[in-house]
Amino acid sequence: MTGFARAKEDRPTPSEVYNWRVYVSSLVISMGVLAYGYDSAFIGTTITAASFKRDFGLAKLSKIEQNNVSSNLTSIYSAGGFFGALFMFFSLELLGRKKTVIISDVIFLFGAVLCTVPTHQLGLVYAGRLFTGLGVGGIAAVSPIYISEISPPAIRGRLTGFFESFYQVGAVIGFWINYGMKHNLDPASSNTWRIPMAVQLIPAGLLAMMIPILKESPVWLLKKGREEEAYNVYSYIRNLPADHPYIEEDVQFVKVEIAKERAMVTGTQNPTFKQFVKAAAKEASSKGMRNRFLLVFIMFMWQAWSGAAAINYYSPTIFTSIGLTDVTLWTGIYGIIKAVGSIIFFTFFIDSFGRKWPWIISSLCCAFCQYYLAAYISLGKPVAGVVQSTSTVAGGKAATAFIMIFGATWSFGANGLPWIISAEIFPSSLRSISGPFAGMSVWLWTYVVTRALPSMYTSMGFGVYIFFASCLICASIYAYFFIHETKGLRIDQMDHLFGFERERPNIEDVLGMGRKALGDDESSEGGEKDRIDVTASRKEVA
């Protein structure tokens, strides 16, 4: 694990810290996101299948009524995601990160069962879509911050990036499941919709099976005063003895940050839940914090208005116009390119290239691709199934290449970076709020764009690509001025970046303040362990 590139370490770090345990834990936490990505790819095709329309009486409805049902099945899922993220605030703060994953996964499994078992009861499918949305909303709210809290700072981007990689892998699986149904099953068979619905149970079931591997977030444990458990978790995920100086520094640093946060906003070291909520609201609205929430909201706005949905909408027409007969195959290849691009970047490069410049480069490349598509559609006017001129076919081949380039470059920009940035820029006191806020932001913007796109296609034509490309240009400009480079930084350094200054004590002060602020008694059991020689400890770590 030590051969991968990583960000500059915040202090001398033992090689044992970069071990398989923290990688496996991050992979397990991210597994629930497979279902999120899977849904984005499979549901549109599944609910328009002839057998689905027959079994649920949609075939007897008018085209407008069928479109309304399809829209409602999509919208109720988005609404579930929004409120699932919102409701998980209470679980994140009161029950912890691990139990929030469990609750979200159980809700999703229940919803997936409801989607799979009906024979003709459309109401059960609606209910299933609502519950799967609630579950995915909760998973999206907890996963990035959970991973961020267990990650060493130097590889935090890579581990949090598993979230986006699993999303893209899930999307690829969703597409190819539908591809297999279309090419290998009788279209009249109910299995053409029932199997894709049932496949949702697989990633959620695998997550349920692997939950025993997970340990609770040590940051949350320290917030709850469960110090001994936090030491044990740090020992496990850092692969070091519990009394190792590196772990001691980890614990004392978190304790001091928690103590200072509480002293600043509540005036007490053991606030009630009501006091926490009131204090968190005060802190979130303060200078240096409110701009972080605004940043998260705007990042997900740029993500939604980047044009990925427009590429998905028009790419089949372009593929057909240049003579590619198996359009679904090429659409699947496009999805694979996005997934592979995400995996490569977030596994090997995120912690060396950082966050800011990949966003800018990705946005500019994607904008150029969409400007070309607008020009091609405007001049060539390709029509699916109609023989095109030689020049139009040549332009279409270039357009196809630009679609694939868009997929590759989109994968490492605004597509995944908002999740990573939003997971790492907030202090422990606000992560139970920032995680749900990020999830609510993405679901809100997804809903807005999904509802707006049909009328945009009708009224704007090729201009929709000019619009999205211009949004990407604005996103790159915004990133240059407002997205700070956060790779490898501790939370006190994040505070400095965003204008929320705290006096930074040296490590000797950290150890002393942690004991004093949290009321530790040096004469009590374990006090002797706290009285370490910091200078000797640093030499040992180095």
Side-chain angles (χ1 to χ4, degrees):
M1 296 299 181
T2 59
F4 293 121
R6 53 180 179 255
K8 182 180 178 181
E9 294 173 343
D10 64 329
R11 55 192 153 140
T13 303
S15 60
E16 291 89 345
V17 169
Y18 307 113
N19 64 82
W20 65 269
R21 292 173 179 174
V22 71
Y23 279 87
V24 170
S25 297
S26 300
L27 288 168
V28 171
I29 295 168
S30 299
M31 187 161 293
V33 187
L34 272 173
Y36 184 10
Y38 176 79
D39 183 271
S40 70
F42 98 95
I43 193 65
T45 302
T46 298
I47 63 179
T48 57
S51 60
F52 184 88
K53 292 180 178 180
R54 179 202 64 213
D55 290 348
F56 294 99
L58 274 64
K60 301 176 183 179
L61 303 178
S62 67
K63 185 65 176 177
I64 293 177
E65 290 173 324
Q66 290 182 26
N67 290 340
N68 286 337
V69 170
S70 297
S71 176
N72 291 338
L73 286 170
T74 302
S75 299
I76 199 170
Y77 178 81
S78 298
F82 180 89
F83 287 103
L86 173 63
F87 296 153
M88 286 307 140
F89 157 69
F90 302 98
S91 177
L92 279 168
E93 183 59 28
L94 297 175
L95 302 178
R97 304 349 181 188
K98 181 178 178 178
K99 287 184 180 178
T100 301
V101 170
I102 295 172
I103 293 170
S104 300
D105 195 44
V106 169
I107 292 173
F108 182 89
L109 284 167
F110 178 67
V113 170
L114 289 182
C115 288
T116 304
V117 298
T119 53
H120 60 274
Q121 305 91 340
L122 187 60
L124 283 180
V125 181
Y126 276 122
R129 292 288 291 164
L130 175 62
F131 279 104
T132 54
L134 287 168
V136 165
I139 290 171
V142 64
S143 295
I145 64 169
Y146 193 175
I147 296 171
S148 179
E149 288 182 343
I150 67 172
S151 301
I155 58 171
R156 186 177 55 228
R158 178 185 306 141
L159 299 182
T160 313
F162 289 155
F163 180 96
E164 175 60 24
S165 297
F166 269 78
Y167 176 89
Q168 294 297 339
V169 169
V172 169
I173 293 172
F175 170 82
W176 289 104
I177 288 290
N178 274 332
Y179 185 84
M181 298 299 101
K182 177 179 179 181
H183 286 79
N184 295 285
L185 289 183
D186 180 358
S189 171
S190 296
N191 287 335
T192 57
W193 66 264
R194 198 181 301 278
I195 290 176
M197 290 287 193
V199 169
Q200 296 178 95
L201 293 163
I202 296 176
L206 289 174
L207 174 60
M209 291 170 58
M210 291 191 238
I211 279 175
I213 296 175
L214 299 179
K215 307 293 183 183
E216 182 53 80
S217 162
V219 175
W220 183 82
L221 290 171
L222 288 170
K223 284 183 67 178
K224 298 304 177 181
R226 295 157 62 175
E227 185 173 328
E228 183 177 351
E229 292 177 66
Y231 270 105
N232 291 335
V233 173
Y234 270 128
S235 176
Y236 176 80
I237 61 177
R238 299 291 186 256
N239 197 27
L240 295 170
D243 60 354
H244 192 282
Y246 186 87
I247 292 178
E248 179 69 26
E249 290 182 1
D250 265 346
V251 170
Q252 296 300 339
F253 178 79
V254 173
K255 286 172 65 176
V256 169
E257 289 300 306
I258 292 172
K260 289 191 291 182
E261 290 161 3
R262 288 177 175 175
M264 179 182 300
V265 296
T266 67
T268 176
Q269 297 303 327
N270 297 292
T272 63
F273 181 71
K274 183 178 179 180
Q275 288 174 321
F276 162 76
V277 172
K278 183 177 180 181
K282 176 182 177 182
E283 185 177 11
S285 61
S286 63
K287 179 183 178 182
M289 286 297 176
R290 58 177 178 263
N291 56 336
R292 296 187 221 194
F293 283 98
L294 180 61
L295 173 67
V296 170
F297 188 73
I298 294 178
M299 284 192 301
F300 282 113
M301 179 192 74
W302 293 130
Q303 181 193 73
W305 290 107
S306 60
I311 295 288
N312 295 337
Y313 176 83
Y314 207 86
S315 58
T317 299
I318 294 175
F319 295 154
T320 304
S321 72
I322 63 174
L324 299 175
T325 55
D326 197 342
V327 171
T328 53
L329 174 64
W330 284 93
T331 304
I333 292 173
Y334 169 70
I336 290 175
I337 288 174
K338 287 197 299 181
V340 171
S342 294
I343 292 170
I344 290 175
F345 178 77
F346 290 116
T347 301
F348 298 101
F349 300 113
I350 177 67
D351 285 313
S352 54
F353 290 177
R355 287 55 161 157
K356 179 174 183 173
W357 282 103
W359 182 304
I360 294 172
I361 293 170
S362 169
S363 296
L364 294 176
C365 288
C366 290
F368 181 78
C369 292
Q370 294 203 74
Y371 280 132
Y372 177 85
L373 289 176
Y376 166 69
I377 296 169
S378 173
L379 298 175
K381 297 179 175 58
V383 178
V386 177
V387 177
Q388 307 294 315
S389 66
T390 303
S391 60
T392 301
V393 170
K397 291 180 179 178
T400 300
F402 277 118
I403 288 174
M404 301 305 171
I405 293 171
F406 179 96
T409 55
W410 163 236
S411 65
F412 64 79
N415 191 30
L417 288 174
W419 290 108
I420 294 175
I421 297 171
S422 64
E424 65 186 2
I425 63 175
F426 289 95
S428 60
S429 57
L430 290 178
R431 283 183 183 150
S432 296
I433 296 175
S434 64
F437 181 81
M440 291 163 62
S441 296
V442 73
W443 287 108
L444 174 64
W445 285 116
T446 298
Y447 177 81
V448 169
V449 173
T450 300
R451 301 296 289 185
L453 279 177
S455 59
M456 291 177 66
Y457 293 138
T458 302
S459 61
M460 299 176 68
F462 67 86
V464 74
Y465 291 102
I466 296 177
F467 172 79
F468 285 127
S470 300
C471 285
L472 284 164
I473 296 296
C474 292
S476 65
I477 296 172
Y478 179 85
Y480 181 82
F481 288 104
F482 296 105
I483 293 181
H484 304 291
E485 187 50 73
T486 55
K487 64 177 181 181
L489 299 184
R490 301 180 307 270
I491 192 58
D492 60 308
Q493 296 167 319
M494 302 284 187
D495 288 343
H496 177 72
L497 276 180
F498 289 95
F500 189 80
E501 285 287 358
R502 289 190 179 116
E503 183 181 352
R504 169 62 181 163
N506 59 35
I507 189 65
E508 290 85 352
D509 293 335
V510 168
L511 297 176
M513 289 175 65
R515 290 191 295 269
K516 182 178 179 180
L518 295 182
D520 289 350
D521 184 355
E522 289 193 357
S523 64
S524 64
E525 182 180 356
E528 186 64 34
K529 179 184 69 174
D530 289 341
R531 295 192 292 271
I532 64 172
D533 185 326
V534 178
T535 304
S537 300
R538 279 184 162 168
K539 290 180 179 179
E540 182 177 341
V541 172

